[in-house]
mmCIF file of all heavy atoms in Angstrom:
data_model
loop_
_atom_site.group_PDB
_atom_site.id
_atom_site.type_symbol
_atom_site.label_atom_id
_atom_site.label_comp_id
_atom_site.label_asym_id
_atom_site.label_seq_id
_atom_site.Cartn_x
_atom_site.Cartn_y
_atom_site.Cartn_z
ATOM 1 N N ILE A 307 89.483 97.412 79.263
ATOM 2 C CA ILE A 307 90.180 96.389 80.052
ATOM 3 C C ILE A 307 89.779 95.028 79.498
ATOM 4 O O ILE A 307 88.590 94.683 79.478
ATOM 5 C CB ILE A 307 89.814 96.502 81.547
ATOM 6 C CG1 ILE A 307 90.295 97.852 82.103
ATOM 7 C CG2 ILE A 307 90.417 95.346 82.339
ATOM 8 C CD1 ILE A 307 89.828 98.151 83.511
ATOM 9 N N LEU A 308 90.776 94.284 79.014
ATOM 10 C CA LEU A 308 90.488 92.990 78.369
ATOM 11 C C LEU A 308 91.164 91.882 79.167
ATOM 12 O O LEU A 308 92.362 91.644 79.008
ATOM 13 C CB LEU A 308 91.021 92.971 76.925
ATOM 14 C CG LEU A 308 90.428 93.978 75.934
ATOM 15 C CD1 LEU A 308 91.159 95.299 75.979
ATOM 16 C CD2 LEU A 308 90.474 93.412 74.530
ATOM 17 N N PRO A 309 90.414 91.197 80.031
ATOM 18 C CA PRO A 309 91.008 90.097 80.781
ATOM 19 C C PRO A 309 90.909 88.802 79.976
ATOM 20 O O PRO A 309 89.836 88.429 79.525
ATOM 21 C CB PRO A 309 90.113 90.028 82.030
ATOM 22 C CG PRO A 309 88.788 90.541 81.572
ATOM 23 C CD PRO A 309 89.000 91.431 80.386
ATOM 24 N N TRP A 310 92.048 88.173 79.769
ATOM 25 C CA TRP A 310 92.052 86.887 79.074
ATOM 26 C C TRP A 310 92.369 85.846 80.134
ATOM 27 O O TRP A 310 93.517 85.562 80.438
ATOM 28 C CB TRP A 310 93.083 86.920 77.959
ATOM 29 C CG TRP A 310 93.141 85.691 77.123
ATOM 30 C CD1 TRP A 310 92.284 84.641 77.145
ATOM 31 C CD2 TRP A 310 94.130 85.395 76.143
ATOM 32 N NE1 TRP A 310 92.661 83.694 76.233
ATOM 33 C CE2 TRP A 310 93.796 84.131 75.596
ATOM 34 C CE3 TRP A 310 95.249 86.061 75.668
ATOM 35 C CZ2 TRP A 310 94.555 83.528 74.610
ATOM 36 C CZ3 TRP A 310 96.002 85.455 74.679
ATOM 37 C CH2 TRP A 310 95.658 84.209 74.150
ATOM 38 N N VAL A 311 91.315 85.295 80.729
ATOM 39 C CA VAL A 311 91.474 84.407 81.881
ATOM 40 C C VAL A 311 91.898 83.026 81.389
ATOM 41 O O VAL A 311 91.245 82.438 80.528
ATOM 42 C CB VAL A 311 90.158 84.315 82.685
ATOM 43 C CG1 VAL A 311 90.310 83.347 83.860
ATOM 44 C CG2 VAL A 311 89.757 85.695 83.192
ATOM 45 N N VAL A 312 93.032 82.528 81.932
ATOM 46 C CA VAL A 312 93.536 81.219 81.506
ATOM 47 C C VAL A 312 93.603 80.227 82.654
ATOM 48 O O VAL A 312 93.832 79.053 82.438
ATOM 49 C CB VAL A 312 94.929 81.350 80.834
ATOM 50 C CG1 VAL A 312 94.807 82.066 79.503
ATOM 51 C CG2 VAL A 312 95.915 82.063 81.740
ATOM 52 N N GLY A 313 93.405 80.685 83.876
ATOM 53 C CA GLY A 313 93.341 79.755 85.007
ATOM 54 C C GLY A 313 94.594 79.735 85.845
ATOM 55 O O GLY A 313 94.674 80.392 86.870
ATOM 56 N N GLU A 314 95.601 78.989 85.375
ATOM 57 C CA GLU A 314 96.812 78.821 86.179
ATOM 58 C C GLU A 314 97.806 79.953 85.938
ATOM 59 O O GLU A 314 97.932 80.449 84.816
ATOM 60 C CB GLU A 314 97.464 77.464 85.876
ATOM 61 C CG GLU A 314 96.618 76.280 86.328
ATOM 62 C CD GLU A 314 96.098 76.443 87.753
ATOM 63 O OE1 GLU A 314 96.895 76.776 88.648
ATOM 64 O OE2 GLU A 314 94.879 76.255 87.974
ATOM 65 N N ALA A 315 98.538 80.264 86.996
ATOM 66 C CA ALA A 315 99.499 81.371 86.924
ATOM 67 C C ALA A 315 100.537 81.132 85.827
ATOM 68 O O ALA A 315 100.880 82.038 85.062
ATOM 69 C CB ALA A 315 100.175 81.543 88.281
ATOM 70 N N GLU A 316 101.009 79.860 85.718
ATOM 71 C CA GLU A 316 102.078 79.571 84.742
ATOM 72 C C GLU A 316 101.597 79.857 83.323
ATOM 73 O O GLU A 316 102.349 80.350 82.487
ATOM 74 C CB GLU A 316 102.515 78.090 84.829
ATOM 75 C CG GLU A 316 103.158 77.680 86.143
ATOM 76 C CD GLU A 316 102.132 77.521 87.266
ATOM 77 O OE1 GLU A 316 100.926 77.342 86.972
ATOM 78 O OE2 GLU A 316 102.528 77.598 88.448
ATOM 79 N N ALA A 317 100.337 79.517 83.060
ATOM 80 C CA ALA A 317 99.804 79.723 81.705
ATOM 81 C C ALA A 317 99.741 81.218 81.385
ATOM 82 O O ALA A 317 100.056 81.644 80.263
ATOM 83 C CB ALA A 317 98.414 79.101 81.598
ATOM 84 N N ALA A 318 99.359 81.999 82.382
ATOM 85 C CA ALA A 318 99.275 83.450 82.161
ATOM 86 C C ALA A 318 100.668 84.029 81.911
ATOM 87 O O ALA A 318 100.867 84.849 81.000
ATOM 88 C CB ALA A 318 98.618 84.124 83.366
ATOM 89 N N VAL A 319 101.646 83.545 82.694
ATOM 90 C CA VAL A 319 103.022 84.041 82.518
ATOM 91 C C VAL A 319 103.555 83.615 81.145
ATOM 92 O O VAL A 319 104.227 84.400 80.458
ATOM 93 C CB VAL A 319 103.928 83.519 83.659
ATOM 94 C CG1 VAL A 319 105.382 83.864 83.402
ATOM 95 C CG2 VAL A 319 103.474 84.108 85.002
ATOM 96 N N ALA A 320 103.224 82.399 80.721
ATOM 97 C CA ALA A 320 103.698 81.927 79.413
ATOM 98 C C ALA A 320 103.139 82.804 78.290
ATOM 99 O O ALA A 320 103.849 83.144 77.332
ATOM 100 C CB ALA A 320 103.280 80.469 79.203
ATOM 101 N N LEU A 321 101.879 83.207 78.418
ATOM 102 C CA LEU A 321 101.293 84.084 77.391
ATOM 103 C C LEU A 321 101.998 85.436 77.377
ATOM 104 O O LEU A 321 102.310 85.984 76.314
ATOM 105 C CB LEU A 321 99.803 84.305 77.671
ATOM 106 C CG LEU A 321 98.865 83.148 77.326
ATOM 107 C CD1 LEU A 321 97.444 83.476 77.757
ATOM 108 C CD2 LEU A 321 98.907 82.871 75.827
ATOM 109 N N ALA A 322 102.241 85.957 78.578
ATOM 110 C CA ALA A 322 102.909 87.258 78.665
ATOM 111 C C ALA A 322 104.294 87.188 78.035
ATOM 112 O O ALA A 322 104.712 88.090 77.299
ATOM 113 C CB ALA A 322 103.005 87.702 80.129
ATOM 114 N N THR A 323 104.978 86.066 78.276
ATOM 115 C CA THR A 323 106.331 85.901 77.720
ATOM 116 C C THR A 323 106.257 85.797 76.191
ATOM 117 O O THR A 323 107.058 86.408 75.472
ATOM 118 C CB THR A 323 106.993 84.634 78.306
ATOM 119 O OG1 THR A 323 106.934 84.733 79.736
ATOM 120 C CG2 THR A 323 108.432 84.499 77.871
ATOM 121 N N ALA A 324 105.281 85.037 75.713
ATOM 122 C CA ALA A 324 105.140 84.871 74.258
ATOM 123 C C ALA A 324 104.876 86.220 73.585
ATOM 124 O O ALA A 324 105.357 86.477 72.476
ATOM 125 C CB ALA A 324 104.007 83.888 73.954
ATOM 126 N N LEU A 325 104.130 87.062 74.239
ATOM 127 C CA LEU A 325 103.863 88.387 73.666
ATOM 128 C C LEU A 325 105.109 89.268 73.765
ATOM 129 O O LEU A 325 105.419 90.031 72.849
ATOM 130 C CB LEU A 325 102.691 89.054 74.389
ATOM 131 C CG LEU A 325 101.316 88.502 74.034
ATOM 132 C CD1 LEU A 325 100.248 89.126 74.924
ATOM 133 C CD2 LEU A 325 100.989 88.773 72.560
ATOM 134 N N ARG A 326 105.812 89.127 74.873
ATOM 135 C CA ARG A 326 106.975 90.000 75.114
ATOM 136 C C ARG A 326 108.041 89.783 74.041
ATOM 137 O O ARG A 326 108.634 90.751 73.568
ATOM 138 C CB ARG A 326 107.551 89.702 76.522
ATOM 139 C CG ARG A 326 108.613 90.662 76.970
ATOM 140 C CD ARG A 326 108.005 92.009 77.355
ATOM 141 N NE ARG A 326 109.040 93.024 77.524
ATOM 142 C CZ ARG A 326 109.512 93.789 76.554
ATOM 143 N NH1 ARG A 326 109.045 93.668 75.328
ATOM 144 N NH2 ARG A 326 110.435 94.693 76.803
ATOM 145 N N VAL A 327 108.239 88.516 73.650
ATOM 146 C CA VAL A 327 109.264 88.275 72.624
ATOM 147 C C VAL A 327 108.813 88.826 71.262
ATOM 148 O O VAL A 327 109.627 89.011 70.369
ATOM 149 C CB VAL A 327 109.642 86.770 72.487
ATOM 150 C CG1 VAL A 327 110.240 86.251 73.776
ATOM 151 C CG2 VAL A 327 108.452 85.928 72.069
ATOM 152 N N ARG A 328 107.533 89.085 71.139
ATOM 153 C CA ARG A 328 107.034 89.700 69.900
ATOM 154 C C ARG A 328 106.961 91.228 70.009
ATOM 155 O O ARG A 328 106.402 91.898 69.150
ATOM 156 C CB ARG A 328 105.646 89.132 69.559
ATOM 157 C CG ARG A 328 105.699 87.677 69.115
ATOM 158 C CD ARG A 328 104.314 87.053 69.080
ATOM 159 N NE ARG A 328 104.339 85.752 68.432
ATOM 160 C CZ ARG A 328 104.727 84.622 69.035
ATOM 161 N NH1 ARG A 328 105.121 84.643 70.297
ATOM 162 N NH2 ARG A 328 104.729 83.486 68.367
ATOM 163 N N GLY A 329 107.456 91.738 71.109
ATOM 164 C CA GLY A 329 107.497 93.205 71.247
ATOM 165 C C GLY A 329 106.251 93.794 71.870
ATOM 166 O O GLY A 329 105.984 94.996 71.746
ATOM 167 N N VAL A 330 105.461 92.972 72.552
ATOM 168 C CA VAL A 330 104.229 93.464 73.179
ATOM 169 C C VAL A 330 104.326 93.225 74.685
ATOM 170 O O VAL A 330 104.652 92.115 75.122
ATOM 171 C CB VAL A 330 102.988 92.729 72.605
ATOM 172 C CG1 VAL A 330 101.726 93.133 73.346
ATOM 173 C CG2 VAL A 330 102.850 93.044 71.126
ATOM 174 N N TRP A 331 104.040 94.243 75.437
ATOM 175 C CA TRP A 331 104.175 94.142 76.899
ATOM 176 C C TRP A 331 102.778 94.110 77.524
ATOM 177 O O TRP A 331 102.041 95.093 77.472
ATOM 178 C CB TRP A 331 104.954 95.354 77.426
ATOM 179 C CG TRP A 331 105.371 95.237 78.866
ATOM 180 C CD1 TRP A 331 105.245 94.162 79.685
ATOM 181 C CD2 TRP A 331 105.988 96.269 79.638
ATOM 182 N NE1 TRP A 331 105.751 94.445 80.922
ATOM 183 C CE2 TRP A 331 106.221 95.727 80.924
ATOM 184 C CE3 TRP A 331 106.372 97.584 79.374
ATOM 185 C CZ2 TRP A 331 106.804 96.474 81.952
ATOM 186 C CZ3 TRP A 331 106.961 98.317 80.398
ATOM 187 C CH2 TRP A 331 107.182 97.760 81.671
ATOM 188 N N ALA A 332 102.418 92.957 78.059
ATOM 189 C CA ALA A 332 101.150 92.819 78.794
ATOM 190 C C ALA A 332 101.450 92.042 80.062
ATOM 191 O O ALA A 332 102.332 91.178 80.059
ATOM 192 C CB ALA A 332 100.124 92.087 77.945
ATOM 193 N N GLN A 333 100.745 92.338 81.117
ATOM 194 C CA GLN A 333 101.056 91.721 82.400
ATOM 195 C C GLN A 333 100.189 90.490 82.673
ATOM 196 O O GLN A 333 98.978 90.506 82.433
ATOM 197 C CB GLN A 333 100.839 92.709 83.548
ATOM 198 C CG GLN A 333 101.924 93.757 83.672
ATOM 199 C CD GLN A 333 103.269 93.186 84.103
ATOM 200 O OE1 GLN A 333 103.406 91.981 84.331
ATOM 201 N NE2 GLN A 333 104.270 94.039 84.218
ATOM 202 N N ALA A 334 100.855 89.470 83.205
ATOM 203 C CA ALA A 334 100.119 88.324 83.752
ATOM 204 C C ALA A 334 99.655 88.730 85.145
ATOM 205 O O ALA A 334 100.440 89.216 85.945
ATOM 206 C CB ALA A 334 101.033 87.113 83.830
ATOM 207 N N ILE A 335 98.378 88.562 85.413
ATOM 208 C CA ILE A 335 97.835 88.912 86.730
ATOM 209 C C ILE A 335 97.526 87.618 87.475
ATOM 210 O O ILE A 335 96.761 86.780 86.978
ATOM 211 C CB ILE A 335 96.545 89.755 86.592
ATOM 212 C CG1 ILE A 335 96.772 90.944 85.648
ATOM 213 C CG2 ILE A 335 96.063 90.221 87.957
ATOM 214 C CD1 ILE A 335 97.611 92.065 86.191
ATOM 215 N N ARG A 336 98.158 87.486 88.621
ATOM 216 C CA ARG A 336 98.065 86.230 89.382
ATOM 217 C C ARG A 336 97.508 86.484 90.773
ATOM 218 O O ARG A 336 97.479 87.623 91.226
ATOM 219 C CB ARG A 336 99.472 85.627 89.501
ATOM 220 C CG ARG A 336 100.053 85.220 88.173
ATOM 221 C CD ARG A 336 101.532 84.896 88.275
ATOM 222 N NE ARG A 336 102.359 86.077 88.059
ATOM 223 C CZ ARG A 336 103.690 86.108 88.186
ATOM 224 N NH1 ARG A 336 104.332 85.021 88.547
ATOM 225 N NH2 ARG A 336 104.359 87.212 87.956
ATOM 226 N N PRO A 337 97.124 85.404 91.486
ATOM 227 C CA PRO A 337 96.729 85.583 92.884
ATOM 228 C C PRO A 337 97.886 86.195 93.665
ATOM 229 O O PRO A 337 99.041 85.910 93.337
ATOM 230 C CB PRO A 337 96.441 84.155 93.361
ATOM 231 C CG PRO A 337 96.194 83.370 92.110
ATOM 232 C CD PRO A 337 97.032 84.011 91.048
ATOM 233 N N PRO A 338 97.707 87.056 94.647
ATOM 234 C CA PRO A 338 96.406 87.346 95.253
ATOM 235 C C PRO A 338 95.649 88.507 94.593
ATOM 236 O O PRO A 338 94.595 88.896 95.072
ATOM 237 C CB PRO A 338 96.787 87.736 96.684
ATOM 238 C CG PRO A 338 98.119 88.427 96.527
ATOM 239 C CD PRO A 338 98.810 87.724 95.393
ATOM 240 N N THR A 339 96.214 89.059 93.493
ATOM 241 C CA THR A 339 95.497 90.170 92.840
ATOM 242 C C THR A 339 94.141 89.696 92.322
ATOM 243 O O THR A 339 93.155 90.435 92.351
ATOM 244 C CB THR A 339 96.351 90.738 91.685
ATOM 245 O OG1 THR A 339 97.660 91.029 92.201
ATOM 246 C CG2 THR A 339 95.747 91.993 91.119
ATOM 247 N N VAL A 340 94.097 88.462 91.805
ATOM 248 C CA VAL A 340 92.825 87.877 91.364
ATOM 249 C C VAL A 340 92.649 86.541 92.090
ATOM 250 O O VAL A 340 93.635 85.966 92.571
ATOM 251 C CB VAL A 340 92.802 87.668 89.833
ATOM 252 C CG1 VAL A 340 92.764 89.001 89.095
ATOM 253 C CG2 VAL A 340 94.006 86.840 89.364
ATOM 254 N N PRO A 341 91.414 86.035 92.182
ATOM 255 C CA PRO A 341 91.197 84.777 92.905
ATOM 256 C C PRO A 341 91.975 83.619 92.277
ATOM 257 O O PRO A 341 92.219 83.606 91.067
ATOM 258 C CB PRO A 341 89.691 84.547 92.793
ATOM 259 C CG PRO A 341 89.109 85.896 92.507
ATOM 260 C CD PRO A 341 90.152 86.639 91.723
ATOM 261 N N ARG A 342 92.346 82.668 93.133
ATOM 262 C CA ARG A 342 93.041 81.455 92.695
ATOM 263 C C ARG A 342 92.272 80.807 91.537
ATOM 264 O O ARG A 342 91.051 80.803 91.524
ATOM 265 C CB ARG A 342 93.064 80.497 93.887
ATOM 266 C CG ARG A 342 94.115 79.440 93.856
ATOM 267 C CD ARG A 342 94.257 78.807 95.230
ATOM 268 N NE ARG A 342 95.095 79.633 96.099
ATOM 269 C CZ ARG A 342 96.423 79.731 95.966
ATOM 270 N NH1 ARG A 342 97.049 79.073 95.019
ATOM 271 N NH2 ARG A 342 97.120 80.494 96.789
ATOM 272 N N GLY A 343 93.008 80.318 90.546
ATOM 273 C CA GLY A 343 92.365 79.630 89.411
ATOM 274 C C GLY A 343 91.857 80.586 88.341
ATOM 275 O O GLY A 343 91.256 80.154 87.359
ATOM 276 N N THR A 344 92.081 81.898 88.538
ATOM 277 C CA THR A 344 91.616 82.853 87.516
ATOM 278 C C THR A 344 92.758 83.745 87.031
ATOM 279 O O THR A 344 92.536 84.893 86.661
ATOM 280 C CB THR A 344 90.454 83.750 88.027
ATOM 281 O OG1 THR A 344 90.999 84.677 88.999
ATOM 282 C CG2 THR A 344 89.332 82.955 88.645
ATOM 283 N N ALA A 345 93.984 83.190 87.059
ATOM 284 C CA ALA A 345 95.115 83.974 86.536
ATOM 285 C C ALA A 345 94.803 84.355 85.088
ATOM 286 O O ALA A 345 94.089 83.634 84.386
ATOM 287 C CB ALA A 345 96.389 83.152 86.622
ATOM 288 N N ARG A 346 95.334 85.470 84.695
ATOM 289 C CA ARG A 346 94.954 85.988 83.391
ATOM 290 C C ARG A 346 96.018 86.889 82.815
ATOM 291 O O ARG A 346 96.891 87.388 83.527
ATOM 292 C CB ARG A 346 93.658 86.799 83.503
ATOM 293 C CG ARG A 346 93.865 88.073 84.301
ATOM 294 C CD ARG A 346 92.585 88.625 84.851
ATOM 295 N NE ARG A 346 91.957 87.708 85.795
ATOM 296 C CZ ARG A 346 90.766 87.921 86.342
ATOM 297 N NH1 ARG A 346 90.089 88.999 86.050
ATOM 298 N NH2 ARG A 346 90.274 87.045 87.195
ATOM 299 N N LEU A 347 95.864 87.115 81.536
ATOM 300 C CA LEU A 347 96.596 88.181 80.906
ATOM 301 C C LEU A 347 95.623 89.361 80.903
ATOM 302 O O LEU A 347 94.476 89.214 80.482
ATOM 303 C CB LEU A 347 96.922 87.761 79.467
ATOM 304 C CG LEU A 347 98.107 88.439 78.827
ATOM 305 C CD1 LEU A 347 99.381 88.119 79.586
ATOM 306 C CD2 LEU A 347 98.236 87.949 77.388
ATOM 307 N N ARG A 348 96.064 90.471 81.430
ATOM 308 C CA ARG A 348 95.174 91.642 81.436
ATOM 309 C C ARG A 348 95.720 92.640 80.430
ATOM 310 O O ARG A 348 96.782 93.219 80.623
ATOM 311 C CB ARG A 348 95.124 92.267 82.815
ATOM 312 C CG ARG A 348 94.320 93.557 82.895
ATOM 313 C CD ARG A 348 94.347 94.101 84.312
ATOM 314 N NE ARG A 348 93.603 95.331 84.483
ATOM 315 C CZ ARG A 348 94.153 96.552 84.451
ATOM 316 N NH1 ARG A 348 95.447 96.690 84.206
ATOM 317 N NH2 ARG A 348 93.416 97.620 84.649
ATOM 318 N N LEU A 349 94.970 92.809 79.343
ATOM 319 C CA LEU A 349 95.377 93.765 78.319
ATOM 320 C C LEU A 349 94.559 95.025 78.505
ATOM 321 O O LEU A 349 93.371 94.962 78.827
ATOM 322 C CB LEU A 349 95.099 93.207 76.920
ATOM 323 C CG LEU A 349 95.659 91.820 76.616
ATOM 324 C CD1 LEU A 349 95.109 91.318 75.296
ATOM 325 C CD2 LEU A 349 97.176 91.868 76.561
#
Side-chain angles (χ1 to χ4, degrees):
I307 296 172
L308 297 87
W310 183 9
V311 178
V312 291
E314 293 312 311
E316 296 75 21
V319 173
L321 284 176
T323 306
L325 285 174
R326 189 74 192 88
V327 298
R328 290 167 170 80
V330 174
W331 191 6
Q333 284 292 359
I335 309 287
R336 295 168 271 175
T339 308
V340 291
R342 202 165 279 287
T344 71
R346 68 201 63 185
L347 204 62
R348 175 181 180 264
L349 308 171

